[in-house]
Amino acid sequence: MKAELNFFGKTLDMAPQRRRRTLVVLIYSAMAVLMVVLYLLTHWRGTGAYMFWAAMLACRLFLGGYYTGGLVKPFNNKGPRRYDMPPPLLLLKLRIYQPVPSSDDSAYRNDERELHQRDHAHYLAYQAIGVSVIIPMFVASMRVIRPALLAWIPMNPDEIYYGLLLIALTLFLTLPQSILLWTEPDMETSA
Amino acid sequence: MNAELVLMGKRISMASRTRRRWLVVFIYVGLAGITGLCTLYYSFTSACVVVIATWFVNGFFLGGDYLGGLVKPFTGKPIESPILESIPGHLLKWGFHRATKPTENDIRSDEREVLLRDRAHYVAYKVIVFAIMFPLIAILDRKDGLHSLPASTVPLDRLLFNFFLVAWAIYATLPQAMLVWTEPDMEQDQA
């Protein structure tokens, strides 16, 4: 895991556990707010995919893991793709472009301890994802047995399913990284 | 991992990987049959049948969640299978019990087993994404009025119910099945 975050040209020290936990709380709060706002504005019609993009952006900028960039090294142990073309001007202007590390760089290679941590984080996240499968299953079962029981919810049943699955997808993309960031103790910063 | 199963009062050696793989194949064929039948009958009972079937499979064959079965409990705690707790008389009569009380060795995983458990969950985590993506695609197909999927005439509640039944059956058994499948031939204790 990296101890520093490059964000719009600034280097943020993320070695203290407290800062990383704050970051995780902020990310999930922002996503929750985004989801509520999208529901209030459009009932997620045509905008539900924004949650997916938001989760991807959070991974690329802050969390890492399933995408390159962010604090957690790529889970697949592979470096970013190399292109012959120059980096996009937008990324350079926004100062979020990170040069591709050399093949022997440890920026994306997980050591044995990090691989174990990655696997353990997925073990924990698997339980949570199970809950996110059970809840829509429960709703579907309720709709089978007594549809009237869910009538008090002021949402269309399709929207309930859609919302629950959007939450599940967001968790799926971000939870293992968040667990890693949350549990990793204070790191030593390089002098 | 345990090297033998107690089935109908008989001890069956599962040290050979080939046998364990056959067991996994039989289990999934059985689960596919049960889940397939349950998807035909759109009722709460069918959800209960699938959940109980996975408890049964994990409690007596695969393990992982409970005492019994090949894989030691993932949590390292001696949790009895709810099936065994609910109808112990029947099961003991059929001989589905371990002849001796579980020892500490049957419950606690060593360091290698914990690493394998976490790795299996890491792989299973990536597989289980289908449980989120397929229903999402189905909902989007209906929401946007495309109706381009083959099952577009099936009511959404019913389609999702069936999806989640299959997802649950896989979710509850996949890490254990992976461990049973991948573990190489074990050495048998000399009697």
Side-chain angles (χ1 to χ4, degrees):
Chain A
M1 189 184 296
K2 295 170 204 164
E4 289 178 341
L5 192 65
N6 289 319
F7 189 60
F8 290 100
K10 284 185 182 174
T11 305
L12 302 174
D13 178 25
M14 298 306 266
Q17 188 185 47
R18 191 170 40 82
R19 282 195 181 182
R20 276 179 276 117
R21 288 189 169 184
T22 308
L23 177 70
V24 170
V25 171
L26 286 176
I27 287 171
Y28 281 118
S29 304
M31 289 208 193
V33 169
L34 177 67
M35 198 161 176
V36 172
V37 168
L38 289 178
Y39 177 73
L40 293 176
L41 291 178
T42 61
H43 286 236
W44 301 315
R45 281 195 197 96
T47 55
Y50 293 170
M51 286 305 298
F52 175 70
W53 297 118
M56 271 181 63
L57 198 66
C59 288
R60 282 208 179 271
L61 293 179
F62 306 110
L63 299 174
Y66 283 112
Y67 299 93
T68 50
L71 289 167
V72 179
K73 294 178 186 176
F75 288 143
N76 60 7
N77 246 357
K78 289 177 186 166
R81 287 181 191 169
R82 291 171 170 75
Y83 297 102
D84 293 333
M85 290 197 308
L89 190 63
L90 182 65
L91 296 187
L92 290 172
K93 285 282 183 192
L94 290 174
R95 297 184 180 184
I96 54 176
Y97 170 72
Q98 291 173 329
V100 174
S102 61
S103 58
D104 59 347
D105 203 322
S106 63
Y108 59 88
R109 281 213 186 279
N110 294 289
D111 57 28
E112 205 170 334
R113 175 181 157 275
E114 286 168 327
L115 285 176
H116 294 163
Q117 285 180 326
R118 175 199 72 179
D119 293 347
H120 188 66
H122 280 84
Y123 167 65
L124 297 174
Y126 193 79
Q127 324 302 326
I129 289 298
V131 175
S132 69
V133 172
I134 290 170
I135 292 173
M137 188 175 168
F138 176 74
V139 173
S141 303
M142 281 293 124
R143 296 265 305 153
V144 175
I145 320 162
R146 291 250 167 85
L149 280 178
L150 298 175
W152 60 273
I153 302 175
M155 285 174 86
N156 185 317
D158 293 5
E159 286 172 358
I160 298 175
Y161 289 130
Y162 194 47
L164 289 171
L165 287 167
L166 281 178
I167 293 170
L169 184 66
T170 309
L171 285 176
F172 178 85
L173 290 170
T174 58
L175 198 56
Q177 300 93 309
S178 300
I179 290 170
L180 286 170
L181 292 180
W182 191 271
T183 53
E184 181 77 5
D186 289 344
M187 290 184 274
E188 288 177 15
T189 45
S190 52
Chain B
M1 189 182 294
N2 298 315
E4 59 180 25
L5 271 182
V6 181
L7 195 61
M8 299 291 193
K10 283 185 180 174
R11 287 174 179 275
I12 300 170
S13 168
M14 285 289 168
S16 149
R17 182 158 76 171
T18 315
R19 279 194 181 184
R20 275 180 278 117
R21 288 190 168 183
W22 273 114
L23 177 70
V24 171
V25 170
F26 282 130
I27 283 171
Y28 277 112
V29 169
L31 278 179
I34 290 169
T35 313
L37 279 175
C38 288
T39 55
L40 295 177
Y41 301 99
Y42 177 53
S43 69
F44 183 66
T45 315
S46 47
C48 293
V49 168
V50 171
V51 170
I52 290 171
T54 54
W55 280 348
F56 185 84
V57 162
N58 284 345
F60 296 107
F61 299 106
L62 292 178
D65 291 340
Y66 314 108
L67 277 175
L70 290 170
V71 180
K72 293 178 187 176
F74 288 144
T75 55
K77 292 172 187 165
I79 305 168
E80 291 282 355
S81 164
I83 303 286
L84 194 67
E85 282 182 345
S86 57
I87 41 172
H90 289 284
L91 298 168
L92 289 173
K93 195 165 64 183
W94 296 339
F96 274 112
H97 67 290
R98 286 194 152 272
T100 52
K101 272 197 156 187
T103 60
E104 189 74 5
N105 191 38
D106 293 328
I107 300 165
R108 296 230 175 270
S109 303
D110 59 27
E111 201 175 339
R112 177 184 158 275
E113 286 168 326
V114 170
L115 294 179
L116 288 174
R117 174 201 74 181
D118 290 349
R119 178 57 58 92
H121 280 85
Y122 171 62
V123 179
Y125 190 83
K126 291 197 253 183
V127 175
I128 209 67
V129 70
F130 90 94
I132 301 166
M133 290 312 291
F134 282 6
L136 259 180
I137 291 168
I139 293 174
L140 284 174
D141 184 56
R142 304 293 172 91
K143 218 171 152 62
D144 297 345
L146 297 174
H147 294 275
S148 54
L149 292 178
S152 62
T153 52
V154 181
L156 187 64
D157 280 332
R158 184 165 188 159
L159 193 65
L160 292 179
F161 184 75
N162 292 346
F163 266 139
F164 290 127
L165 282 189
V166 176
W168 173 259
I170 294 175
Y171 169 82
T173 55
L174 192 59
Q176 294 92 314
M178 279 181 181
L179 287 170
V180 170
W181 186 272
T182 53
E183 182 77 5
D185 289 340
M186 290 184 273
E187 286 178 17
Q188 278 182 295
D189 295 334
Q190 296 297 320

